[in-house]
Amino acid sequence: MEFHVSLIDRKDLSGEIYRQLRRAILEGRIRPGESVPPSRELARRLSVARSTVTVAYDRLAGEGFLSSRVGAGTFVNEHFAPSSDNTKRREADGPLQPRHIWDSIPLVRAPATPAQFDLRSGRPDVLLFPHDRWRRLVSRQLRREIGREGVFGDPPGHRGLREAIARHIAVARGVEASLNDVTVVSGTQQALDVVARTLLEPGDQVAVEDPGYWPIKWLFESLGVRVNGVPVDEQGLIVEALPRHAKLIFVTPSHQHPLGVSMSLSRRRALLTWAEQNHCAIVEDDYDSEFRYESRPIEPLKTLDKSGRVVYVGSFSKTMLPTLRMGFLVTPPSISAAIRKAKQVADWHSSLPLQMALARFIDDGGFARHIRKMRSIYRVRHSLVVSGLNKQFADHLQLIPSNVGLHIAAFAHHASVDEINAIAHRASEAGVEVHTLSRFSVQMPPKAGLVLGYGAIPAERIEEGLRRLRLCFIT
Ligand SMILES: Cc1ncc(COP(=O)(O)O)c(C=O)c1O
């Protein structure tokens, strides 16, 4: 295809190629499955260095827009098919147009088919969820709701659920929370939305781990907040690399997403000191540490925080179901009242029947039982994946030690980002779905590696899944 890039009077050439190509994909001018020009050819056409083009391509690959197949070229990924919304809007030029920022935010679609060997990160085993019990709890609460004639609930959430959450995190994580500081939200994404509404203004800067949890980048950018990626090493986020003017830092200290390292105690202390000296808020995302297989947990930032700067966020997406959209915040008392108002402004309150059913599930011990059961199932899967990687992939991958959560990450010894993308593509054709590490790059050049989830794959499929993946490394 003939892709036209205009670089007249532009300074950031690589950034410009990246932006124009991304827009072309989002608007459907380059379609899923189509190839983009080889970097050498595009560089020649534009009279720029080849590295100017490859940096742009790497960034797009890191965000999941492109993937390369060795010997075949670089292609637009299927899951970034232009949404019908994008296409319709362009077709019907009406008087109302969204702000430009929405052109650069892709609509992520739910994957269409379950994978034969699902090694994607971040997925719990939804088939082992106690659906019958849950259905009974929800229908009982719905009947009660009809009795109450459907009046609205309180913005911070159902009192019984907030009490149950406070007890759960006191036992599971040692976090002491007063009822007034707990707010129920629709998952981590809304937790961040409510915090951003409460603390940030357009033009403010935030710091996020890089590689990191990219969906929140779109959230901040949609609010006009500038996002800075901060590198991570084996002890977690590198505090010295934080931008001086950051007003908020988003971290996953218990289990860095996606690398899997736990932030060391000294790093946690350094981060808290930095935040204090720079008048900055910290959001601690503790998304999956209920599943810990060895070693004692390090104390959450929230319990180490003496100055009242840490917002603690928890989610029921891993312990229950991601589709429930349930999570919670524990805020410092100085912002709790504003947080409730922000939740009210956002959506008044989360679904009351679901909150009441969940409160009941926690109170009667069903939740703790489910976590215990899943922990022992995930422990087996974790150890099968770790030993399989150590035995079969030692020549290709360097495992990053981790014994928490539902995924494990590994750096490639020799393969480039493009080659790893090609391997993931071949794996997909062989029925094995994995995530590449480059997918989680926020701003920095993507790293070559894989992130392997074991939440959704039954133990008896792991060996065959890894065997097929191993074959994809041999070209
Ligand atoms: C780092 C991280 N935080 C939080 C979540 C959960 O997000 P939510 O509660 O919005 O489903 C995930 C899910 O994959 C995650 O990877």
Side-chain angles (χ1 to χ4, degrees), residues 121-122 186-190 213 250 252 257 285 287 314-318 322 325-327:
S121 62
S186 308
T188 307
Q189 196 70 15
Q190 191 181 50
Y213 186 52
F250 174 83
T252 49
H257 186 86
D285 176 15
Y287 62 105
S315 170
F316 291 100
S317 288
K318 313 288 183 213
R325 309 307 307 135
M326 295 278 261

Side-chain angles (χ1 to χ4, degrees), residues 181-392:
D181 301 330
V182 179
T183 303
V184 178
V185 286
S186 308
T188 307
Q189 196 70 15
Q190 191 181 50
L192 263 294
D193 184 39
V194 167
V195 171
R197 285 169 197 256
T198 306
L199 294 178
L200 302 176
E201 312 228 25
D204 280 347
Q205 299 205 29
V206 298
V208 303
E209 297 160 324
D210 195 352
Y213 186 52
W214 43 264
I216 56 157
K217 177 181 170 217
W218 299 330
L219 166 72
F220 288 129
E221 287 178 348
S222 74
L223 297 171
V225 169
R226 282 186 288 159
V227 176
N228 298 272
V230 177
V232 177
D233 65 14
E234 65 291 342
Q235 290 192 61
L237 177 121
I238 301 177
V239 173
E240 297 85 60
L242 281 164
R244 261 213 7 258
H245 300 294
K247 283 193 82 177
L248 182 148
I249 307 165
F250 174 83
V251 269
T252 49
S254 304
H255 187 218
Q256 201 276 332
H257 186 86
L259 297 181
V261 296
S262 289
M263 188 182 273
S264 66
L265 190 57
S266 59
R267 200 55 81 72
R268 288 177 198 231
R269 295 217 164 100
L271 178 60
L272 287 165
T273 307
W274 192 97
E276 209 166 320
Q277 285 166 350
N278 293 277
H279 314 290
C280 179
I282 298 175
V283 175
E284 174 175 30
D285 176 15
D286 200 5
Y287 62 105
D288 68 359
S289 65
E290 283 88 353
F291 303 117
R292 174 169 288 276
Y293 313 115
E294 284 161 35
S295 71
R296 271 189 39 242
I298 301 178
E299 288 198 59
L301 286 169
K302 182 76 184 157
T303 62
L304 298 170
D305 172 32
K306 302 288 173 255
S307 68
R309 301 190 166 273
V310 175
V311 174
Y312 180 87
V313 179
S315 170
F316 291 100
S317 288
K318 313 288 183 213
T319 49
M320 298 278 289
L321 298 172
T323 48
L324 281 185
R325 309 307 307 135
M326 295 278 261
F328 60 89
L329 284 162
V330 182
T331 41
S334 58
I335 63 165
S336 295
I339 287 279
R340 293 157 170 224
K341 293 180 202 170
K343 169 69 181 166
Q344 173 182 298
V345 164
D347 67 351
W348 214 272
H349 62 76
S350 297
S351 155
L352 196 52
L354 288 187
Q355 290 191 63
M356 290 158 72
L358 183 54
R360 199 57 207 264
F361 191 52
I362 299 177
D363 284 346
D364 70 12
F367 181 61
R369 266 196 306 282
H370 180 58
I371 291 179
R372 270 200 304 279
K373 174 179 131 187
M374 295 314 294
R375 190 186 294 126
S376 67
I377 289 170
Y378 293 146
R379 176 183 282 119
V380 172
R381 297 180 187 182
H382 168 265
S383 107
L384 285 171
V385 169
V386 169
S387 66
L389 288 177
N390 281 334
K391 276 193 216 127
Q392 297 173 49

